[in-house]
Amino acid sequence: MYTIGIDFGTLSGRAVLVDVRDGREIATAIHEYANGVIDSTLPGKREPLPPEWALQDPLDYIEVFKHTVPEVLRLSGVDPKEVVGVGIDFTACTMLPVKADGTPLCVLDEWKANPHAWIKLWKHHASQPQADLINAVARQRGEAWLDYYGGKISSEWFFSKSLQILQEAPEVYHAADRLIEAADWVVWQLTGVETRNMCTAGYKAMVQGGEFPSREYFAALDPDFADVVDDKMCRTFAQLGDKAGGLTPQAAAWTGLPPGTTVAVANVDAHVTAPAVKAVEPGIMVMIMGTSTCDVMLGERINVVEGMCGVVPDGIIPGFYGYEAGQSGVGDIFNWFVENAVPPVYHEAAQQAGVSLHEYLEREAAQQAPGEHGLIALDWWNGNRSTLVDANVSGLLLGATLATRAPDIYRALIESTAYGTREIIESFEKRGVPVRELVAAGGLPEKNALLRQIYADVTGRPLKLSGSSQAPALGSAIYAAVAAGVYPNIQEASEHMGKLKDEVVMPIPENQAVYDALYAEYKTLYDYFGRREGQNHMMKRLKQIRNKAMGQ
Amino acid sequence: MYTIGIDFGTLSGRAVLVDVRDGREIATAIHEYANGVIDSTLPGKREPLPPEWALQDPLDYIEVFKHTVPEVLRLSGVDPKEVVGVGIDFTACTMLPVKADGTPLCVLDEWKANPHAWIKLWKHHASQPQADLINAVARQRGEAWLDYYGGKISSEWFFSKSLQILQEAPEVYHAADRLIEAADWVVWQLTGVETRNMCTAGYKAMVQGGEFPSREYFAALDPDFADVVDDKMCRTFAQLGDKAGGLTPQAAAWTGLPPGTTVAVANVDAHVTAPAVKAVEPGIMVMIMGTSTCDVMLGERINVVEGMCGVVPDGIIPGFYGYEAGQSGVGDIFNWFVENAVPPVYHEAAQQAGVSLHEYLEREAAQQAPGEHGLIALDWWNGNRSTLVDANVSGLLLGATLATRAPDIYRALIESTAYGTREIIESFEKRGVPVRELVAAGGLPEKNALLRQIYADVTGRPLKLSGSSQAPALGSAIYAAVAAGVYPNIQEASEHMGKLKDEVVMPIPENQAVYDALYAEYKTLYDYFGRREGQNHMMKRLKQIRNKAMGQ
């Protein structure tokens, strides 16, 4: 028996066909979105989108079903009847306005020229003014739920984006019968059933204890927003691991699976990863590292952690409090650097060495001792999700001299993201949520040994690695197995199907000591530029640390 | 009648043969130093030099005489007998230990493996611990001269470098009969006469009113340093515009000029530029812009200006107080950027457009409105000469996002150096030394129209341009004409031989307004990172300024 997990990422969708007995990944297929991330102009248009916009095209998601599921069936040779369930996971909050029958507004001639009719991708940050209002009104009214989101709602979230539509394009808002997460929308396309999964509802739409914020609260944001829940959403939520419905004949035709095949309730790419790496008990922080990093962890109690993205009962695994935090730029920053700030000599050297430029720079940077480059960066090229929840902060590089070279900066950028992780860990622990160990999933830690060691050294914690290079898709297959009734609960499915590598990366004490000093500098900048407090003069100390690292 | 001015730069020496009647530049020749800047290993050695070291080879300077003077004679067809004088200018403080007959220690087998036997180039910054001591002891003893150097002696200066030799290589110090500026050393090689020019003595060796600091002061630095002046230097100084001596037969053979030809007292490249651009009255700040920028200006009174490099009576033109300030990294920073942080796509585009990468990036950056890139940089890649006098601060780039591109950073770096200039101007004016207008000399402002406009906009002052693209060499030819008795004084020689372009770059008011706001941000960072005070949260404001610049 098999299940198929389908992971919808920022640039592509990936299906994995998995053996439910042992989690063996039999076949994989990937399909890139034709329109990718829409951040300069709408497809076929010339008018530039404003800064901070990031959209997607829903039809790209349907193409993923059509291409990847038949492909994994073909590659594996598995009889479609042996596939007992399909699960999906998605970036979040990635949301769109649709008609009552699920038709996205952006496919309708009437609306397709309006950017607000398109899907707002998770990294669409232009809703910051709405997020500011959402936060200010919540604080002013003393909304109890605010604490469970680290005291701040992000511009990335559901109501920030929805309110931006209302305020900037009321005609789109009013034309939309539903506002829905893309995760739930694709399940709707597969099953014909509109569900709202507990995970995105809890983490992105401020649902706590089964309730949205009050009508009075929404009215205080904008009178026209008062009935957003009853007009555009729904008040029932689907539990993770449950069945959403069965494949419609149309979706069966897209995929080559039998009509009626179980489809699991949708989930978020990060959260679904926890059971894929056997993190089904408290104290294990799972870092899903890609263009950005999402951290998920189980807790026994509900605690208020500064700048966390959220804590949601049953938000990852029913019966636990699911904590989420994150970093809005990680791989994105490294990619920015490699594409925009590395001179030809390294491009040529990498080509000659037959490796990617990332790999070449990693190799060069790995020659250095911690602190040798004399640099500190703030990893805010794409804003800061945790612990500041502020899309408007920006990247900083400090300590450059005429001797600074590309591998130095590359290493400093990796370190800056590790410091950002440590800041999150310390924030959790300060509020009584212990973080015993880290598990890293995603392409970044898998490919980059230097990064793995830096994360262990900077955080001072053992780092384990996902046993699968496609952990979210595996996770979706695990939820599908539970939804199909193969296992009674997620823990048991994880025990059979989840995977960790044997290797554990341990912190190196002498590196830790240097990084403790550098982290203190990072914190000073962090607080100064992120929190309006503190003052410092760190350059001399950085030079001393550098000299010391060079043995002088 | 003609004179030849020879300008010794950081990487090459340049001779210009000039008509003394009108300053017409008849012929030019350049010779690159074979060993350039020695900052990784000594020539032929493998052991790496420590960080912050920068050395040169004195034999490279002799080669300049041998190659360039015959070449300008050949190119011009001028009869050598019609050349009435030779003047030289040099980087400073660039100094070396020599024997009593002028032989540099570094050419002797016994000493050539010791880095301290070589010439310490102006940008050798490894003497910072000695500079720190020099400053601490001067403050503690209440040395009166300290105020005339902006309250701080630089690691670049004569006694910082000399004390480093004593403390790190006492054997070299004791083997040296003389410690001397390279400027005076090359004049010595031409004439056989050891002179000490008033300019370097005043600006780099703390001579005020004809006196060095006291023996007690030097003893307080290090007992073995007590007699540095009487043991290694001399107490008589040669006035600028005077004759140092006549060409020796050997030097005549090197150059092809008649023995006995007048050689002017040596001078500094920046200071010699003032008469070349007709800045022979107070209120005109001359910016000599190259790898670094040196600012020189005449004043009627002696005032104490924070962080100036120095104020020296008769230090530029006899009869005036000569003020000097500077920025330790300007063209160096742009070159660093172009060589180390620009991706291949721009290299290729520049090549296709048939322009240099600098020119291409300038063009692209010129498309932007001020503030549009959202960036602020601190121009401290090579430390900060004025107003902080601190070689240990380093570069900072703030405001980077995933959308930041190379031309954005290139523009931000140009702007950062203009902000640095404004900081210097404001420092002068705060202490009663008015700066009415700017004159820019050097390749940078000549080639880069964007840079010229940015400097005018950021400082709010009209910017004039040197009429010669080799102003220091022209200036040396002017001093040579005075030394040879063609003109009675420097002012009169400048009136006939100095040159300005007709173009005056005026500030554009709307740009000034944006730059006033950005400069305030720069100042905040400047004070915070440079002065241990202040606190700020500027990123949001930078984004607002950027959005405004983009018309949103």
Side-chain angles (χ1 to χ4, degrees):
Chain A
M1 268 193 307
Y2 303 90
T3 53
I4 294 176
I6 307 175
D7 168 45
F8 288 86
T10 299
L11 297 171
S12 62
R14 165 193 306 256
V16 180
L17 187 141
V18 178
D19 189 321
V20 295
R21 287 171 304 183
D22 53 8
R24 203 154 48 92
E25 297 160 24
I26 311 294
T28 299
I30 299 176
H31 182 73
E32 292 208 356
Y33 307 148
N35 282 318
V37 178
I38 300 167
D39 55 6
S40 52
T41 61
L42 289 180
K45 302 283 176 186
R46 301 189 53 178
E47 202 186 353
L49 290 168
E52 313 289 3
W53 277 63
L55 306 177
Q56 287 199 319
D57 179 351
L59 299 183
D60 281 343
Y61 307 148
I62 301 300
E63 292 302 306
V64 169
F65 291 127
K66 289 184 187 171
H67 285 85
T68 62
V69 178
E71 179 72 1
V72 293
L73 290 171
R74 189 185 66 77
L75 287 170
S76 63
V78 160
D79 181 344
K81 285 196 289 287
E82 285 204 73
V83 176
V84 297
V86 174
I88 74 104
D89 62 88
F90 224 95
T91 64
C93 165
T94 294
M95 57 82 71
L96 69 161
V98 300
K99 302 303 288 183
D101 65 355
T103 306
L105 290 194
C106 65
V107 306
L108 301 173
D109 284 342
E110 188 182 352
W111 297 110
K112 68 179 169 195
N114 191 318
H116 280 291
W118 293 69
I119 293 180
K120 289 190 166 58
L121 183 61
W122 64 273
K123 67 176 172 176
H124 173 91
H125 285 145
S127 312
Q128 190 61 48
Q130 286 74 31
D132 292 343
L133 179 67
I134 282 171
N135 286 312
V137 171
R139 273 193 299 274
Q140 187 195 329
R141 293 174 45 95
E143 295 286 340
W145 46 261
L146 190 60
D147 278 349
Y148 298 124
Y149 300 100
K152 266 194 202 165
I153 299 307
S154 162
S155 66
E156 293 184 2
W157 292 3
F158 195 84
F159 290 115
S160 305
K161 285 169 170 160
S162 300
L163 186 55
Q164 191 195 7
I165 299 177
L166 171 63
Q167 293 187 331
E168 298 182 7
E171 67 285 8
V172 171
Y173 183 83
H174 293 302
D177 297 319
R178 318 303 268 164
L179 298 173
I180 191 164
E181 284 278 346
D184 292 320
W185 182 80
V186 297
V187 167
W188 190 356
Q189 301 313 298
L190 290 180
T191 61
V193 181
E194 181 189 351
T195 53
R196 304 271 171 166
N197 74 81
M198 193 58 243
C199 184
T200 53
Y203 287 104
K204 309 299 175 186
M206 289 110 89
V207 170
Q208 286 283 339
E211 294 294 336
F212 283 102
S214 66
R215 186 178 185 281
E216 291 68 34
Y217 170 74
F218 288 117
L221 295 177
D222 191 311
D224 289 344
F225 208 52
D227 291 309
V228 59
V229 172
D230 290 320
D231 286 355
K232 312 284 183 189
M233 306 176 69
C234 79
R235 293 189 180 274
T236 54
F237 307 104
Q239 195 69 259
L240 303 177
D242 281 2
K243 174 174 174 172
L247 282 184
T248 63
Q250 184 187 38
W254 292 343
T255 56
L257 294 172
T261 304
T262 291
V263 177
V265 167
N267 208 331
V268 176
D269 47 9
H271 302 66
V272 83
T273 301
V277 297
K278 299 193 169 190
V280 292
E281 61 183 277
I284 307 169
M285 192 166 101
V286 181
M287 308 183 297
I288 300 89
M289 305 180 70
T291 52
S292 65
T293 287
C294 189
D295 305 307
V296 296
M297 191 165 57
L298 301 178
E300 317 241 12
R301 282 176 301 278
I302 191 156
N303 292 60
V304 172
V305 176
E306 185 208 1
M308 67 179 166
C309 303
V311 51
V312 172
D314 307 330
I316 299 172
I317 293 179
F320 290 101
Y321 293 92
Y323 287 87
E324 183 196 339
Q327 296 176 252
S328 39
V330 181
D332 257 357
I333 300 179
F334 312 150
N335 289 335
W336 172 86
F337 180 70
V338 158
E339 285 165 23
N340 293 290
V342 179
V345 59
Y346 291 98
H347 288 260
E348 289 153 18
Q351 207 172 10
Q352 282 208 326
V355 297
S356 76
L357 184 48
H358 281 283
E359 206 174 331
Y360 187 82
L361 290 171
E362 179 208 337
R363 249 191 230 175
E364 292 286 304
Q367 309 297 317
Q368 304 184 4
E372 193 175 315
H373 53 50
L375 300 169
I376 284 274
L378 284 175
D379 50 321
W380 299 348
W381 263 248
N382 201 26
N384 176 295
R385 196 179 302 150
S386 302
T387 58
L388 300 175
V389 197
D390 190 339
N392 273 335
V393 295
S394 54
L396 179 146
L397 180 73
L398 186 150
T401 71
L402 297 176
T404 301
R405 295 293 174 269
D408 305 337
I409 303 176
Y410 190 70
R411 184 175 178 123
L413 292 175
I414 293 175
E415 288 164 348
S416 75
T417 65
Y419 301 142
T421 299
R422 178 162 166 179
E423 158 74 16
I424 291 169
I425 291 171
E426 293 192 351
S427 187
F428 271 114
E429 297 217 316
K430 199 155 41 175
R431 296 306 181 93
V433 184
V435 181
R436 276 199 332 272
E437 64 175 45
L438 306 177
V439 181
L444 265 181
E446 188 166 293
K447 280 183 270 183
N448 194 318
L450 175 65
L451 178 143
R452 292 196 292 272
Q453 190 62 54
I454 287 173
Y455 270 66
D457 291 342
V458 166
T459 63
R461 281 167 175 78
L463 179 78
K464 294 183 179 171
L465 290 166
S466 168
S468 167
S469 62
Q470 37 210 359
L474 173 61
S476 285
I478 289 173
Y479 283 88
V482 178
V486 180
Y487 293 105
N489 57 45
I490 296 158
Q491 287 89 328
E492 210 161 306
S494 168
E495 198 187 317
H496 287 92
M497 297 173 72
K499 290 181 230 166
L500 281 171
K501 281 219 172 79
D502 291 337
E503 177 195 1
V504 178
V505 184
M506 297 302 293
I508 298 170
E510 52 268 41
N511 292 357
Q512 274 183 273
V514 179
Y515 281 130
D516 281 349
L518 289 169
Y519 177 68
E521 303 295 346
Y522 173 87
K523 273 292 278 182
T524 300
L525 286 173
Y526 194 99
D527 292 343
Y528 180 58
F529 287 110
R531 291 210 175 92
R532 297 179 182 266
E533 73 197 30
Q535 129 171 8
N536 216 300
H537 192 233
M538 66 179 48
M539 290 161 181
K540 286 181 209 300
R541 290 198 299 279
L542 287 172
K543 285 213 174 184
Q544 285 163 358
I545 291 171
R546 182 202 61 179
N547 287 348
K548 207 174 145 197
M550 294 177 77
Q552 282 146 19
Chain B
M1 272 194 302
Y2 304 90
T3 52
I4 294 175
I6 308 174
D7 168 47
F8 288 86
T10 299
L11 297 170
S12 62
R14 165 193 306 254
V16 180
L17 186 140
V18 177
D19 189 322
V20 296
R21 288 171 304 182
D22 54 8
R24 205 154 46 94
E25 297 161 24
I26 312 291
T28 300
I30 300 174
H31 182 73
E32 292 207 359
Y33 307 148
N35 282 318
V37 177
I38 301 166
D39 56 5
S40 52
T41 61
L42 289 181
K45 303 281 176 187
R46 300 190 53 178
E47 201 186 352
L49 291 167
E52 314 287 2
W53 277 63
L55 306 177
Q56 287 201 320
D57 179 351
L59 299 184
D60 282 341
Y61 306 149
I62 302 300
E63 293 300 307
V64 169
F65 292 128
K66 290 185 186 170
H67 286 86
T68 62
V69 179
E71 178 75 359
V72 293
L73 290 171
R74 190 185 66 75
L75 287 171
S76 63
V78 160
D79 180 346
K81 286 198 286 292
E82 286 205 72
V83 175
V84 296
V86 174
I88 73 105
D89 63 87
F90 225 97
T91 63
C93 165
T94 293
M95 57 81 73
L96 68 163
V98 300
K99 302 303 289 182
D101 65 356
T103 306
L105 292 193
C106 65
V107 307
L108 300 173
D109 283 345
E110 188 181 353
W111 297 109
K112 68 180 175 198
N114 191 319
H116 279 290
W118 292 70
I119 294 183
K120 289 190 165 61
L121 183 61
W122 65 273
K123 67 177 174 177
H124 173 92
H125 285 145
S127 313
Q128 190 63 46
Q130 287 74 29
D132 292 343
L133 180 65
I134 282 171
N135 286 312
V137 172
R139 272 194 299 273
Q140 187 194 328
R141 292 174 44 92
E143 295 287 341
W145 46 261
L146 190 60
D147 277 348
Y148 298 124
Y149 300 100
K152 265 194 203 167
I153 300 305
S154 161
S155 67
E156 294 184 1
W157 293 3
F158 196 85
F159 290 115
S160 305
K161 285 169 170 158
S162 300
L163 185 56
Q164 192 195 7
I165 299 176
L166 171 64
Q167 295 189 330
E168 297 182 7
E171 67 286 8
V172 172
Y173 183 84
H174 293 303
D177 298 317
R178 318 302 269 164
L179 298 172
I180 190 165
E181 283 278 346
D184 293 320
W185 182 79
V186 297
V187 166
W188 189 357
Q189 301 313 297
L190 290 179
T191 61
V193 182
E194 181 190 352
T195 54
R196 303 272 171 165
N197 75 81
M198 193 59 245
C199 183
T200 53
Y203 286 104
K204 309 299 176 186
M206 290 111 89
V207 171
Q208 287 284 336
E211 295 292 340
F212 283 101
S214 67
R215 185 179 186 280
E216 290 68 35
Y217 170 74
F218 287 117
L221 295 177
D222 191 312
D224 290 343
F225 208 52
D227 292 308
V228 59
V229 171
D230 291 320
D231 286 355
K232 311 284 183 192
M233 306 176 69
C234 80
R235 293 189 181 273
T236 53
F237 307 104
Q239 194 70 260
L240 303 179
D242 281 1
K243 175 174 173 173
L247 281 185
T248 63
Q250 185 187 37
W254 291 344
T255 57
L257 294 172
T261 303
T262 292
V263 177
V265 167
N267 208 332
V268 176
D269 48 7
H271 302 66
V272 84
T273 301
V277 298
K278 300 195 167 187
V280 291
E281 60 183 279
I284 307 170
M285 191 165 104
V286 181
M287 308 183 296
I288 299 89
M289 304 180 70
T291 51
S292 65
T293 287
C294 189
D295 305 307
V296 296
M297 190 165 56
L298 301 178
E300 317 243 11
R301 283 176 299 278
I302 190 157
N303 294 61
V304 171
V305 176
E306 185 208 0
M308 68 179 165
C309 302
V311 53
V312 173
D314 308 330
I316 298 171
I317 293 180
F320 290 101
Y321 293 93
Y323 285 88
E324 184 196 338
Q327 295 177 252
S328 39
V330 181
D332 258 358
I333 300 177
F334 311 149
N335 289 335
W336 171 86
F337 180 71
V338 158
E339 285 164 23
N340 293 291
V342 179
V345 58
Y346 291 98
H347 289 260
E348 289 153 17
Q351 207 172 9
Q352 282 209 327
V355 296
S356 76
L357 185 48
H358 281 283
E359 205 174 329
Y360 188 82
L361 290 171
E362 180 208 337
R363 245 189 232 178
E364 292 284 305
Q367 309 297 317
Q368 303 184 4
E372 192 174 317
H373 51 51
L375 301 168
I376 284 275
L378 284 174
D379 50 322
W380 299 347
W381 263 249
N382 200 26
N384 177 295
R385 197 179 301 147
S386 301
T387 58
L388 300 175
V389 197
D390 191 339
N392 272 336
V393 293
S394 53
L396 178 146
L397 180 73
L398 186 151
T401 71
L402 297 176
T404 301
R405 295 293 174 269
D408 305 337
I409 302 176
Y410 191 70
R411 183 173 179 124
L413 293 175
I414 294 175
E415 289 164 347
S416 75
T417 67
Y419 301 143
T421 300
R422 177 164 168 178
E423 158 75 14
I424 291 169
I425 292 172
E426 293 192 351
S427 189
F428 271 113
E429 298 219 315
K430 200 156 38 176
R431 296 307 181 93
V433 185
V435 182
R436 277 198 331 270
E437 62 175 46
L438 306 177
V439 181
L444 264 182
E446 189 166 293
K447 280 183 271 183
N448 194 319
L450 175 65
L451 177 144
R452 292 196 292 273
Q453 190 62 54
I454 287 173
Y455 270 65
D457 291 341
V458 166
T459 64
R461 280 167 177 77
L463 179 80
K464 294 183 178 171
L465 289 166
S466 168
S468 168
S469 63
Q470 35 208 1
L474 173 61
S476 284
I478 289 173
Y479 283 88
V482 177
V486 180
Y487 294 104
N489 58 43
I490 296 159
Q491 288 89 329
E492 212 162 303
S494 169
E495 200 187 315
H496 287 92
M497 298 173 71
K499 290 180 228 165
L500 281 172
K501 283 221 171 79
D502 292 336
E503 178 194 1
V504 179
V505 185
M506 298 302 295
I508 297 170
E510 52 269 41
N511 291 358
Q512 274 183 271
V514 178
Y515 281 130
D516 282 347
L518 289 169
Y519 177 69
E521 302 296 345
Y522 173 86
K523 274 291 280 180
T524 300
L525 286 174
Y526 194 100
D527 292 342
Y528 180 59
F529 287 109
R531 290 207 177 93
R532 296 179 183 269
E533 70 196 34
Q535 127 169 7
N536 215 299
H537 191 234
M538 66 180 48
M539 290 161 177
K540 286 180 207 301
R541 292 198 298 280
L542 287 172
K543 285 218 175 182
Q544 285 163 0
I545 290 171
R546 182 201 64 178
N547 286 347
K548 207 175 145 194
M550 294 178 75
Q552 281 146 19

